[in-house]
Amino acid sequence: EVQLVESGGGLVQPGGSLRLSCAASGFAFRSYWMHWVRQAPGKGLVWVSRINGDLSTSTYADSVKGRFTISRDTAKNTLYLQMDSLRVEDTAVYHCVSGDSNTFDNWGQGTLVTVSS
Amino acid sequence: QSVLTQPPSVSGAPGQRVTISCTGSSSNIGAGYDVHWYQQLPGTVPKLLIYGNNNRPSGVPDRFSGSKSGTAASLAITGLQADDEADYYCQSYDNSLSGSIVFGGGTKLTVL
């Protein structure tokens, strides 16, 4: 059974940093693209970033480019999202998602990030 | 404002057929990129419902179908059931600017 378990969310002040982690199990982690997708409370889905299995390609939504960095550790089956210069509008539940380059197959429950002073 | 436009809400009675539209442009759906659909039941994470415009993952009933034409796509649900009440999102790729994966704003389906 595919399992994706996020951690690292919390309350942070504007301009602060957080590092999200996603522990993956039940599938061949290195063979799949991994994504972060966020959902603000009561709002729709927004794609944030993706990275491929061999770490050769990573892309970002314009709204986070230059502030967020996606990475993965194949040995630990773990996906990361380093979030710097956080803004109030980054407040959302952040989901770790596996799939191919443009499709989302399996979703984690998410971790809540709240940016507020 | 989402790159892909969906109606905020649709409704139908049990047993009826409803459709949800997803309108894009020449830089996404119209450029030939596939459209995918997700169902988000209340209090749950999204689930892949349709991929590659009109394909159903294993376990998705054939009451759900997708189509695409020009710069738009649509999701059809036949034989509407109470537990179909959910938010539905379309998703594609957009090649404008630096390129990005894009979602529609979501459509709330109410079963009357």
Side-chain angles (χ1 to χ4, degrees):
Chain A
E1 177 193 4
V2 173
Q3 286 202 330
L4 298 166
V5 181
E6 302 93 337
S7 60
L11 174 63
V12 62
Q13 292 188 336
S17 297
L18 276 179
R19 188 195 196 203
L20 306 183
S21 300
C22 170
S25 61
F27 67 106
F29 182 69
R30 66 174 66 234
S31 298
Y32 288 83
W33 284 78
M34 295 297 296
H35 304 257
W36 289 98
V37 176
R38 69 187 182 186
Q39 187 169 29
K43 301 296 185 181
L45 302 171
V46 176
W47 172 78
V48 173
S49 181
R50 66 180 178 179
I51 187 168
N52 67 350
D54 66 10
L55 283 68
S56 62
T57 302
S58 60
T59 56
Y60 301 87
D62 285 346
S63 59
V64 307
K65 200 170 297 182
R67 300 188 299 122
F68 290 10
T69 303
I70 192 171
S71 62
R72 63 195 292 173
D73 185 332
T74 302
K76 296 182 178 179
N77 280 6
T78 301
L79 176 72
Y80 302 100
L81 186 68
Q82 176 66 42
M83 304 187 296
D84 299 319
S85 303
L86 281 161
R87 304 168 180 168
V88 171
E89 55 265 35
D90 294 320
T91 294
V93 173
Y94 284 72
H95 296 278
C96 164
V97 190
S98 66
D100 67 15
S101 59
N102 292 313
T103 315
F104 309 116
D105 295 334
N106 292 287
W107 297 64
Q109 290 298 314
T111 186
L112 176 62
V113 172
T114 303
V115 185
S116 174
S117 54
Chain B
Q1 195 80 352
S2 300
V3 173
L4 304 179
T5 301
Q6 297 180 234
S9 63
V10 298
S11 62
Q16 285 189 333
R17 178 182 187 269
V18 296
T19 62
I20 298 173
S21 61
C22 175
T23 303
S25 67
S26 59
S27 62
N28 41 69
I29 299 175
Y33 295 108
D34 284 342
V35 178
H36 318 292
W37 292 88
Y38 300 85
Q39 176 193 58
Q40 186 173 28
L41 296 168
T44 70
V45 300
K47 166 191 165 185
L48 180 63
L49 195 64
I50 297 288
Y51 68 94
N53 306 314
N54 55 13
N55 301 288
R56 288 184 306 277
S58 174
V60 174
D62 59 6
R63 299 187 299 105
F64 295 90
S65 63
S67 64
K68 172 187 157 184
S69 178
T71 59
S74 65
L75 173 71
I77 309 172
T78 58
L80 205 57
Q81 300 177 359
D83 56 8
D84 294 333
E85 189 159 290
D87 293 323
Y88 293 84
Y89 294 90
C90 62
Q91 176 250 312
S92 186
Y93 181 84
D94 190 287
N95 64 21
S96 63
L97 301 175
S98 53
S100 182
I101 294 174
V102 291
F103 283 97
T107 298
K108 170 67 177 177
L109 168 64
T110 300
V111 181
L112 302 171

